[in-house]
Coordinates of all heavy atoms in Angstrom, one line a residue:
M1 N 0.8 -1.2 0.0 CA 0.0 0.0 0.0 C 0.9 1.2 0.0 O 1.8 1.4 0.8 CB -0.9 0.0 1.3 CG -1.8 1.1 1.4 SD -2.9 1.0 2.8 CE -4.3 0.1 2.1
T2 N 0.7 2.1 -0.9 CA 1.5 3.4 -0.9 C 0.9 4.4 0.0 O -0.3 4.3 0.4 CB 1.5 3.9 -2.4 OG1 0.2 4.3 -2.7 CG2 2.1 3.0 -3.4
S3 N 1.6 5.4 0.3 CA 1.1 6.4 1.3 C -0.2 7.1 0.7 O -1.0 7.5 1.5 CB 2.2 7.5 1.6 OG 2.5 8.2 0.4
G4 N -0.3 7.2 -0.6 CA -1.6 7.7 -1.1 C -2.8 6.8 -1.0 O -3.9 7.2 -1.0
D5 N -2.5 5.5 -0.7 CA -3.6 4.5 -0.6 C -3.8 4.3 0.9 O -4.7 3.4 1.2 CB -3.2 3.2 -1.2 CG -3.1 3.3 -2.7 OD1 -3.7 4.2 -3.3 OD2 -2.3 2.6 -3.3
E6 N -3.1 4.9 1.8 CA -3.2 4.7 3.2 C -4.6 5.1 3.7 O -5.2 6.1 3.3 CB -2.2 5.5 4.0 CG -2.2 5.2 5.5 CD -1.0 5.8 6.2 OE1 -1.0 7.0 6.4 OE2 -0.1 5.1 6.6
D7 N -5.2 4.2 4.6 CA -6.5 4.5 5.2 C -6.4 5.8 5.9 O -5.5 6.0 6.7 CB -6.7 3.3 6.2 CG -8.1 3.4 6.9 OD1 -8.6 4.6 7.0 OD2 -8.6 2.4 7.3
P8 N -7.3 6.8 5.7 CA -7.2 8.1 6.4 C -7.3 8.0 7.9 O -6.8 8.8 8.6 CB -8.4 8.8 5.8 CG -9.2 7.9 5.0 CD -8.4 6.7 4.8
R9 N -7.9 6.9 8.4 CA -7.9 6.7 9.9 C -6.5 6.4 10.4 O -6.2 6.9 11.4 CB -8.9 5.6 10.2 CG -10.3 5.8 9.8 CD -11.2 4.6 10.0 NE -10.6 3.5 9.3 CZ -11.0 2.2 9.5 NH1 -11.9 1.9 10.4 NH2 -10.5 1.2 8.8
V10 N -5.8 5.6 9.6 CA -4.4 5.3 10.0 C -3.6 6.6 10.0 O -2.8 6.9 10.8 CB -3.8 4.2 9.1 CG1 -2.3 4.0 9.4 CG2 -4.6 2.9 9.3
T11 N -3.8 7.4 8.9 CA -3.0 8.6 8.8 C -3.3 9.5 10.0 O -2.4 10.1 10.6 CB -3.4 9.4 7.5 OG1 -3.2 8.5 6.4 CG2 -2.7 10.7 7.3
E12 N -4.6 9.6 10.4 CA -4.9 10.5 11.5 C -4.3 9.9 12.8 O -3.8 10.7 13.6 CB -6.5 10.6 11.6 CG -6.9 11.5 12.7 CD -6.5 12.9 12.6 OE1 -6.3 13.4 11.5 OE2 -6.3 13.6 13.6
L13 N -4.4 8.6 13.0 CA -3.8 8.0 14.2 C -2.3 8.3 14.2 O -1.8 8.7 15.3 CB -4.0 6.5 14.2 CG -3.5 5.7 15.4 CD1 -4.1 6.2 16.7 CD2 -3.7 4.2 15.2
R14 N -1.6 8.1 13.1 CA -0.2 8.4 13.1 C 0.2 9.8 13.5 O 1.1 10.1 14.2 CB 0.4 8.0 11.7 CG 0.4 6.6 11.4 CD 0.8 6.3 10.0 NE 2.3 6.7 9.9 CZ 3.1 6.1 9.0 NH1 2.6 5.3 8.1 NH2 4.3 6.5 9.0
S15 N -0.6 10.7 12.9 CA -0.4 12.1 13.2 C -0.6 12.5 14.6 O 0.2 13.2 15.3 CB -1.3 13.0 12.3 OG -0.9 12.8 10.9
A16 N -1.7 12.0 15.2 CA -2.1 12.3 16.6 C -1.1 11.7 17.5 O -0.7 12.4 18.5 CB -3.5 11.8 16.9
V17 N -0.6 10.5 17.3 CA 0.4 9.8 18.1 C 1.7 10.6 18.0 O 2.3 10.9 19.1 CB 0.6 8.4 17.7 CG1 1.8 7.8 18.4 CG2 -0.7 7.6 18.1
A18 N 2.1 11.0 16.9 CA 3.3 11.8 16.7 C 3.3 13.1 17.5 O 4.3 13.5 18.2 CB 3.6 12.0 15.2
R19 N 2.2 13.8 17.4 CA 2.0 15.0 18.2 C 2.1 14.8 19.7 O 2.8 15.6 20.4 CB 0.7 15.8 17.8 CG 0.8 16.4 16.5 CD -0.4 17.3 16.2 NE -1.7 16.5 16.1 CZ -2.1 16.0 14.9 NH1 -1.4 16.1 13.8 NH2 -3.2 15.3 14.9
L20 N 1.4 13.8 20.2 CA 1.5 13.5 21.6 C 2.9 13.1 22.0 O 3.4 13.5 23.1 CB 0.4 12.5 22.0 CG 0.4 12.2 23.5 CD1 0.2 13.4 24.4 CD2 -0.8 11.2 23.8
R21 N 3.5 12.3 21.2 CA 4.9 11.8 21.6 C 5.8 13.0 21.7 O 6.7 13.1 22.6 CB 5.4 10.8 20.5 CG 4.7 9.5 20.6 CD 5.3 8.5 19.6 NE 6.4 7.8 20.2 CZ 7.1 6.9 19.5 NH1 6.8 6.7 18.2 NH2 8.1 6.3 20.0
R22 N 5.7 14.0 20.7 CA 6.6 15.2 20.7 C 6.3 16.0 22.0 O 7.2 16.5 22.7 CB 6.4 16.0 19.5 CG 7.1 15.5 18.3 CD 7.1 16.5 17.1 NE 5.7 16.9 16.7 CZ 5.0 16.3 15.8 NH1 5.4 15.2 15.2 NH2 3.8 16.8 15.5
R23 N 5.0 16.2 22.3 CA 4.7 17.0 23.5 C 5.1 16.3 24.8 O 5.6 17.0 25.7 CB 3.2 17.3 23.5 CG 2.7 18.3 22.5 CD 2.9 19.7 22.9 NE 2.0 19.9 24.1 CZ 2.2 20.9 24.9 NH1 3.2 21.7 24.8 NH2 1.4 21.0 26.0
L24 N 5.0 15.0 24.8 CA 5.4 14.3 26.0 C 6.9 14.4 26.2 O 7.4 14.6 27.3 CB 5.0 12.8 25.9 CG 5.3 11.9 27.1 CD1 4.8 12.5 28.4 CD2 4.8 10.5 26.9
A25 N 7.6 14.3 25.1 CA 9.1 14.4 25.1 C 9.6 15.7 25.6 O 10.6 15.9 26.3 CB 9.7 14.0 23.8
A26 N 8.8 16.8 25.2 CA 9.2 18.1 25.5 C 8.7 18.5 26.9 O 9.1 19.6 27.5 CB 8.6 19.1 24.5
H27 N 7.8 17.8 27.5 CA 7.2 18.1 28.8 C 8.3 18.0 29.9 O 8.9 16.9 30.1 CB 6.0 17.2 29.1 CG 5.3 17.6 30.4 ND1 4.6 18.7 30.5 CD2 5.2 17.0 31.6 CE1 4.1 18.8 31.7 NE2 4.5 17.7 32.4
P28 N 8.5 19.0 30.6 CA 9.7 19.0 31.6 C 9.4 18.2 32.9 O 10.3 17.8 33.5 CB 9.9 20.5 31.9 CG 8.5 21.1 31.7 CD 7.9 20.3 30.6
G29 N 8.1 18.1 33.2 CA 7.8 17.5 34.5 C 7.9 15.9 34.4 O 7.7 15.3 33.4
E30 N 8.3 15.4 35.5 CA 8.4 13.9 35.7 C 7.1 13.4 36.4 O 6.6 14.1 37.3 CB 9.6 13.5 36.4 CG 10.9 13.6 35.6 CD 10.9 12.8 34.4 OE1 10.5 11.6 34.4 OE2 11.4 13.3 33.4
F31 N 6.6 12.3 36.0 CA 5.5 11.7 36.7 C 5.7 10.2 36.7 O 6.4 9.6 35.8 CB 4.2 12.1 36.1 CG 4.1 12.1 34.6 CD1 3.5 11.0 34.0 CD2 4.5 13.2 33.9 CE1 3.4 10.9 32.6 CE2 4.4 13.1 32.5 CZ 3.9 12.0 31.9
A32 N 5.1 9.5 37.6 CA 5.4 8.1 37.8 C 5.2 7.2 36.6 O 5.9 6.3 36.4 CB 4.5 7.6 39.0
D33 N 4.1 7.5 35.8 CA 3.8 6.6 34.8 C 4.2 7.1 33.4 O 3.7 6.6 32.3 CB 2.2 6.4 34.8 CG 1.8 5.6 36.0 OD1 2.6 4.8 36.5 OD2 0.6 5.8 36.4
R34 N 5.2 7.9 33.3 CA 5.6 8.5 32.0 C 6.1 7.3 31.1 O 5.8 7.3 29.9 CB 6.8 9.5 32.3 CG 7.2 10.1 31.0 CD 8.4 11.1 31.3 NE 8.6 12.0 30.2 CZ 8.5 13.3 30.2 NH1 8.2 13.9 31.3 NH2 8.6 14.0 29.1
T35 N 6.9 6.4 31.7 CA 7.4 5.3 30.9 C 6.2 4.5 30.3 O 6.3 4.1 29.1 CB 8.3 4.4 31.7 OG1 9.4 5.2 32.2 CG2 8.9 3.2 30.9
I36 N 5.2 4.3 31.0 CA 4.0 3.5 30.5 C 3.4 4.3 29.3 O 3.2 3.7 28.2 CB 3.0 3.3 31.6 CG1 3.5 2.3 32.6 CG2 1.7 2.8 31.0 CD1 2.6 2.3 33.9
A37 N 3.3 5.6 29.4 CA 2.7 6.4 28.3 C 3.6 6.3 27.1 O 3.1 6.1 26.0 CB 2.6 7.8 28.8
E38 N 4.9 6.4 27.3 CA 5.9 6.3 26.2 C 5.8 5.0 25.5 O 5.8 4.9 24.3 CB 7.3 6.7 26.7 CG 7.5 8.1 27.1 CD 8.7 8.4 27.8 OE1 9.4 7.4 28.3 OE2 9.1 9.6 27.9
E39 N 5.8 3.9 26.3 CA 5.7 2.6 25.7 C 4.4 2.3 24.9 O 4.4 1.8 23.8 CB 5.8 1.5 26.8 CG 7.2 1.4 27.4 CD 7.3 0.5 28.6 OE1 6.3 0.0 29.1 OE2 8.4 0.4 29.1
E40 N 3.3 2.8 25.4 CA 2.0 2.6 24.7 C 1.9 3.5 23.5 O 1.3 3.1 22.5 CB 0.8 2.8 25.7 CG 0.7 1.8 26.7 CD 0.6 0.4 26.2 OE1 -0.1 0.1 25.2 OE2 1.2 -0.6 26.7
L41 N 2.5 4.7 23.6 CA 2.5 5.5 22.3 C 3.4 4.8 21.3 O 3.0 4.9 20.1 CB 3.1 6.9 22.7 CG 2.0 7.8 23.4 CD1 2.7 9.0 23.9 CD2 0.9 8.2 22.4
A42 N 4.5 4.2 21.7 CA 5.3 3.5 20.7 C 4.5 2.3 20.1 O 4.6 2.0 18.9 CB 6.6 3.0 21.4
A43 N 3.7 1.7 21.0 CA 2.9 0.5 20.5 C 1.8 1.0 19.5 O 1.6 0.4 18.4 CB 2.2 -0.2 21.6
L44 N 1.2 2.2 19.8 CA 0.2 2.8 18.8 C 0.9 3.1 17.5 O 0.4 2.9 16.4 CB -0.5 4.0 19.4 CG -1.6 3.8 20.5 CD1 -2.1 5.1 21.0 CD2 -2.7 3.0 19.9
N45 N 2.1 3.7 17.6 CA 2.8 4.1 16.5 C 3.2 2.9 15.6 O 3.0 2.9 14.4 CB 4.1 4.8 16.9 CG 4.8 5.4 15.7 OD1 4.2 6.2 14.9 ND2 6.1 5.0 15.5
A46 N 3.5 1.8 16.2 CA 3.9 0.5 15.5 C 2.6 0.0 14.8 O 2.7 -0.5 13.7 CB 4.5 -0.5 16.4
M47 N 1.5 0.0 15.5 CA 0.2 -0.5 14.9 C -0.2 0.4 13.7 O -0.6 -0.1 12.7 CB -0.9 -0.5 15.9 CG -0.8 -1.6 16.9 SD -2.3 -1.6 18.0 CE -1.7 -0.6 19.3
A48 N 0.0 1.7 13.8 CA -0.3 2.6 12.7 C 0.6 2.4 11.6 O 0.2 2.4 10.4 CB -0.3 4.0 13.2
A49 N 1.9 2.1 11.9 CA 2.9 1.9 10.8 C 2.6 0.6 10.1 O 2.8 0.5 8.8 CB 4.3 1.9 11.4
D50 N 2.0 -0.4 10.8 CA 1.7 -1.6 10.1 C 0.5 -1.4 9.2 O 0.3 -2.2 8.3 CB 1.4 -2.7 11.2 CG 1.0 -4.0 10.7 OD1 1.7 -4.5 9.7 OD2 0.1 -4.6 11.2
G51 N -0.4 -0.4 9.5 CA -1.5 -0.1 8.7 C -2.8 -0.9 9.0 O -3.8 -0.6 8.4
T52 N -2.7 -1.8 9.9 CA -3.9 -2.6 10.3 C -4.0 -2.7 11.8 O -3.9 -3.8 12.3 CB -3.9 -4.0 9.6 OG1 -2.7 -4.6 10.0 CG2 -4.1 -3.9 8.1
P53 N -4.4 -1.6 12.5 CA -4.4 -1.7 13.9 C -5.6 -2.6 14.4 O -6.6 -2.7 13.8 CB -4.7 -0.3 14.4 CG -4.5 0.6 13.2 CD -4.6 -0.3 12.0
E54 N -5.4 -3.3 15.5 CA -6.4 -4.1 16.1 C -7.2 -3.3 17.1 O -6.6 -2.7 18.0 CB -5.8 -5.3 16.9 CG -5.0 -6.3 16.0 CD -4.3 -7.4 16.8 OE1 -4.8 -7.7 17.9 OE2 -3.3 -7.9 16.3
I55 N -8.5 -3.2 16.9 CA -9.3 -2.3 17.7 C -9.2 -2.6 19.2 O -9.0 -1.6 20.0 CB -10.8 -2.3 17.2 CG1 -10.8 -1.7 15.8 CG2 -11.7 -1.6 18.2 CD1 -12.2 -1.9 15.2
P56 N -9.2 -3.8 19.7 CA -9.1 -4.0 21.1 C -7.7 -3.5 21.7 O -7.7 -2.9 22.7 CB -9.2 -5.5 21.3 CG -10.0 -6.0 20.1 CD -9.6 -5.1 19.0
R57 N -6.7 -3.7 20.9 CA -5.4 -3.3 21.3 C -5.3 -1.7 21.3 O -4.7 -1.1 22.2 CB -4.3 -3.9 20.4 CG -2.9 -3.5 20.8 CD -2.5 -4.2 22.1 NE -1.1 -3.9 22.4 CZ -0.7 -3.0 23.3 NH1 -1.5 -2.3 24.0 NH2 0.6 -2.8 23.4
L58 N -5.9 -1.1 20.3 CA -5.9 0.3 20.2 C -6.6 0.9 21.5 O -6.1 1.8 22.1 CB -6.7 0.8 19.0 CG -6.1 0.7 17.7 CD1 -7.1 1.2 16.6 CD2 -4.9 1.6 17.6
R59 N -7.7 0.3 21.8 CA -8.5 0.8 23.0 C -7.7 0.6 24.3 O -7.7 1.5 25.2 CB -9.9 0.1 23.1 CG -10.6 0.2 21.8 CD -11.7 1.1 21.5 NE -12.7 1.5 22.4 CZ -13.0 2.8 22.5 NH1 -12.4 3.7 21.7 NH2 -14.0 3.2 23.3
R60 N -7.1 -0.5 24.4 CA -6.3 -0.8 25.6 C -5.1 0.2 25.7 O -4.9 0.7 26.8 CB -5.7 -2.3 25.5 CG -4.9 -2.6 26.7 CD -4.3 -4.0 26.6 NE -3.4 -4.4 27.7 CZ -2.2 -4.0 27.8 NH1 -1.6 -3.3 26.9 NH2 -1.5 -4.4 28.9
S61 N -4.4 0.4 24.6 CA -3.3 1.4 24.7 C -3.8 2.8 25.1 O -3.2 3.5 25.9 CB -2.6 1.5 23.3 OG -1.8 0.3 23.1
L62 N -5.0 3.2 24.5 CA -5.5 4.5 24.8 C -5.8 4.6 26.3 O -5.5 5.6 27.0 CB -6.8 4.7 24.0 CG -7.5 6.0 24.3 CD1 -6.6 7.2 24.0 CD2 -8.8 6.1 23.5
L63 N -6.4 3.5 26.9 CA -6.8 3.5 28.3 C -5.5 3.7 29.2 O -5.5 4.4 30.1 CB -7.5 2.3 28.7 CG -9.0 2.3 28.2 CD1 -9.6 0.9 28.5 CD2 -9.8 3.4 28.9
L64 N -4.5 2.9 28.8 CA -3.2 3.0 29.5 C -2.6 4.4 29.4 O -2.1 4.9 30.4 CB -2.2 1.9 29.1 CG -2.6 0.5 29.5 CD1 -1.8 -0.5 28.7 CD2 -2.5 0.3 31.0
I65 N -2.6 4.9 28.2 CA -2.0 6.3 28.1 C -2.8 7.3 28.9 O -2.3 8.2 29.5 CB -2.0 6.7 26.6 CG1 -1.0 5.8 25.8 CG2 -1.6 8.1 26.4 CD1 -1.1 5.8 24.3
A66 N -4.1 7.2 28.8 CA -5.0 8.2 29.5 C -4.8 8.1 31.0 O -4.7 9.1 31.7 CB -6.5 7.9 29.2
G67 N -4.6 6.8 31.5 CA -4.4 6.6 32.9 C -3.0 7.1 33.3 O -2.8 7.7 34.4
A68 N -2.0 7.0 32.4 CA -0.7 7.5 32.7 C -0.5 9.0 32.7 O 0.2 9.5 33.5 CB 0.3 6.8 31.8
I69 N -1.1 9.6 31.7 CA -0.9 11.1 31.6 C -2.2 11.9 31.7 O -2.2 13.1 31.6 CB -0.2 11.4 30.3 CG1 -1.1 11.1 29.1 CG2 1.1 10.8 30.2 CD1 -0.5 11.6 27.8
G70 N -3.3 11.3 32.1 CA -4.6 12.0 32.2 C -4.6 13.2 33.1 O -5.3 14.1 32.9
S71 N -3.7 13.2 34.1 CA -3.7 14.3 35.1 C -2.7 15.4 34.7 O -2.7 16.4 35.4 CB -3.3 13.7 36.5 OG -2.0 13.2 36.5
V72 N -2.0 15.2 33.6 CA -1.1 16.2 33.1 C -1.9 17.1 32.1 O -2.0 16.8 30.9 CB 0.1 15.6 32.5 CG1 1.1 16.7 32.0 CG2 0.8 14.6 33.4
S73 N -2.4 18.2 32.6 CA -3.3 19.0 31.8 C -2.6 19.6 30.6 O -3.3 19.9 29.6 CB -3.9 20.2 32.7 OG -2.9 21.0 33.2
A74 N -1.3 19.8 30.6 CA -0.6 20.4 29.5 C -0.7 19.4 28.3 O -0.6 19.9 27.1 CB 0.8 20.7 29.8
L75 N -0.9 18.1 28.5 CA -1.0 17.2 27.4 C -2.4 16.8 27.0 O -2.6 16.0 26.1 CB -0.2 15.9 27.9 CG 1.2 16.1 28.3 CD1 1.8 14.8 28.8 CD2 2.0 16.6 27.1
S76 N -3.4 17.4 27.6 CA -4.8 17.1 27.4 C -5.2 17.3 25.9 O -5.9 16.4 25.4 CB -5.7 17.9 28.3 OG -5.5 17.5 29.6
P77 N -4.8 18.4 25.2 CA -5.3 18.5 23.8 C -4.8 17.4 22.9 O -5.5 16.9 22.1 CB -4.7 19.9 23.4 CG -4.5 20.6 24.7 CD -4.1 19.6 25.7
E78 N -3.5 17.0 23.1 CA -2.9 16.0 22.3 C -3.5 14.6 22.6 O -3.7 13.8 21.8 CB -1.4 16.0 22.4 CG -0.8 17.2 21.7 CD -0.8 18.5 22.6 OE1 -1.1 18.4 23.8 OE2 -0.4 19.5 22.0
L79 N -3.8 14.4 23.9 CA -4.4 13.1 24.3 C -5.8 13.0 23.7 O -6.2 12.0 23.2 CB -4.5 13.1 25.9 CG -5.2 11.8 26.4 CD1 -4.5 10.5 26.0 CD2 -5.2 11.9 28.0
A80 N -6.5 14.1 23.7 CA -7.9 14.1 23.1 C -7.8 13.8 21.6 O -8.7 13.1 21.1 CB -8.5 15.5 23.3
E81 N -6.8 14.3 20.9 CA -6.6 14.0 19.5 C -6.3 12.5 19.3 O -6.9 11.9 18.3 CB -5.4 14.8 18.9 CG -5.6 16.3 18.8 CD -4.4 17.0 18.2 OE1 -3.6 16.3 17.5 OE2 -4.3 18.2 18.5
V82 N -5.5 11.9 20.1 CA -5.3 10.5 20.0 C -6.6 9.7 20.3 O -6.9 8.8 19.5 CB -4.2 10.0 21.0 CG1 -4.1 8.5 21.0 CG2 -2.8 10.6 20.6
R83 N -7.4 10.1 21.3 CA -8.6 9.5 21.5 C -9.6 9.6 20.3 O -10.2 8.6 19.9 CB -9.3 10.1 22.7 CG -10.7 9.4 23.0 CD -11.4 10.0 24.2 NE -12.6 9.2 24.3 CZ -13.7 9.8 24.7 NH1 -13.8 11.0 25.1 NH2 -14.8 9.1 24.8
R84 N -9.7 10.7 19.7 CA -10.5 10.9 18.5 C -10.0 10.0 17.4 O -10.8 9.4 16.7 CB -10.6 12.3 18.1 CG -11.5 13.2 18.9 CD -11.7 14.6 18.3 NE -10.5 15.4 18.3 CZ -10.0 16.1 19.3 NH1 -10.7 16.2 20.4 NH2 -8.9 16.8 19.2
A85 N -8.7 9.9 17.2 CA -8.1 9.0 16.2 C -8.5 7.6 16.4 O -8.8 6.8 15.5 CB -6.6 9.3 16.1
V86 N -8.4 7.1 17.7 CA -8.7 5.7 18.0 C -10.2 5.5 17.8 O -10.6 4.5 17.2 CB -8.3 5.4 19.4 CG1 -8.9 4.1 19.9 CG2 -6.8 5.4 19.6
D87 N -11.0 6.5 18.1 CA -12.5 6.3 18.0 C -12.9 6.2 16.5 O -13.9 5.6 16.2 CB -13.2 7.5 18.6 CG -13.2 7.4 20.1 OD1 -12.9 6.3 20.7 OD2 -13.6 8.4 20.7
L88 N -12.0 6.6 15.6 CA -12.3 6.5 14.2 C -12.4 5.0 13.7 O -13.1 4.7 12.8 CB -11.3 7.2 13.3 CG -11.3 8.7 13.4 CD1 -10.0 9.2 12.6 CD2 -12.5 9.3 12.9
F89 N -11.8 4.2 14.5 CA -11.7 2.7 14.2 C -12.9 1.9 14.7 O -13.1 0.8 14.4 CB -10.4 2.1 14.6 CG -9.2 2.5 13.9 CD1 -8.5 3.7 14.2 CD2 -8.8 1.8 12.7 CE1 -7.4 4.1 13.5 CE2 -7.7 2.3 12.0 CZ -7.0 3.4 12.4
V90 N -13.7 2.6 15.6 CA -14.8 1.9 16.2 C -16.0 1.9 15.3 O -16.4 3.0 14.8 CB -15.2 2.5 17.6 CG1 -16.3 1.8 18.2 CG2 -13.9 2.4 18.5
G91 N -16.6 0.8 15.0 CA -17.8 0.7 14.1 C -17.4 0.8 12.6 O -16.2 1.0 12.3
P92 N -18.4 0.5 11.8 CA -18.1 0.4 10.3 C -17.8 1.8 9.8 O -18.3 2.8 10.3 CB -19.4 -0.1 9.8 CG -20.4 0.2 10.7 CD -19.8 0.2 12.1
V93 N -17.0 1.9 8.8 CA -16.7 3.1 8.1 C -17.9 3.4 7.2 O -18.4 2.5 6.5 CB -15.4 2.9 7.2 CG1 -15.2 4.2 6.4 CG2 -14.2 2.6 8.1
R94 N -18.3 4.6 7.1 CA -19.5 5.0 6.3 C -19.2 4.6 4.9 O -18.2 4.8 4.3 CB -19.7 6.5 6.4 CG -20.2 6.9 7.7 CD -20.7 8.4 7.6 NE -21.1 8.9 8.9 CZ -22.3 8.9 9.3 NH1 -23.3 8.5 8.5 NH2 -22.7 9.3 10.5
G95 N -20.3 4.0 4.3 CA -20.2 3.5 2.9 C -19.6 2.1 2.7 O -19.5 1.6 1.6
Q96 N -19.1 1.5 3.9 CA -18.6 0.2 3.8 C -19.3 -0.7 4.8 O -19.8 -0.3 5.8 CB -17.1 0.2 4.2 CG -16.2 1.0 3.2 CD -14.8 0.9 3.6 OE1 -14.4 0.4 4.6 NE2 -13.9 1.5 2.7
G97 N -19.3 -2.0 4.5 CA -19.8 -3.0 5.4 C -21.2 -2.9 5.7 O -22.0 -2.7 6.3

C-alpha cells in the first residue's frame, strides 16, 4: 500500500500519536507513569505503521495512556486528538460494510 492509498484513519492516528509523543518528550515534568505512556505511544505508532491496527489493542493502549498522563493538563489537547483518532476505528466506516 502506498502512502496515497493509506487508510485516512491510520493517517490520523499516526499524526495524533506523533504530536502527543513530541509534546510528552518536551514536557519538563516527571511523573510516575511516564514510561508507560511512552511505551504505549510506541505501540500505537507501530500499529499505525503496520497499517492494520487491532481495535481491542488500540483501546487498551488508549486507556493505559490516558491513565498514565490523564492528570497532566498540558498534554490534554494531544491526548484528546489520540482518543478521537482511535475512535475512528470503532464501528463500520461509512459507505462500507
Side-chain angles (χ1 to χ4, degrees):
M1 181 177 271
T2 64
S3 61
D5 295 334
E6 185 173 71
D7 182 335
R9 300 173 302 167
V10 171
T11 302
E12 183 61 29
L13 179 61
R14 291 174 67 155
S15 297
V17 167
R19 283 189 292 275
L20 182 52
R21 288 179 90 182
R22 283 192 302 271
R23 287 281 292 159
L24 181 58
H27 186 70
E30 285 300 319
F31 48 94
D33 294 331
R34 185 182 195 119
T35 301
I36 292 169
E38 290 168 344
E39 289 172 356
E40 291 304 319
L41 284 167
L44 282 178
N45 189 57
M47 283 186 270
D50 183 43
T52 54
E54 296 177 28
I55 293 171
R57 182 68 175 107
L58 285 175
R59 310 260 320 138
R60 179 182 178 277
S61 288
L62 177 62
L63 287 172
L64 288 170
I65 293 165
I69 65 174
S71 64
V72 182
S73 61
L75 302 174
S76 293
E78 290 81 8
L79 178 58
E81 288 180 28
V82 171
R83 179 178 180 217
R84 282 190 294 275
V86 168
D87 285 347
L88 293 174
F89 289 90
V90 178
V93 176
R94 289 189 183 264
Q96 294 181 358

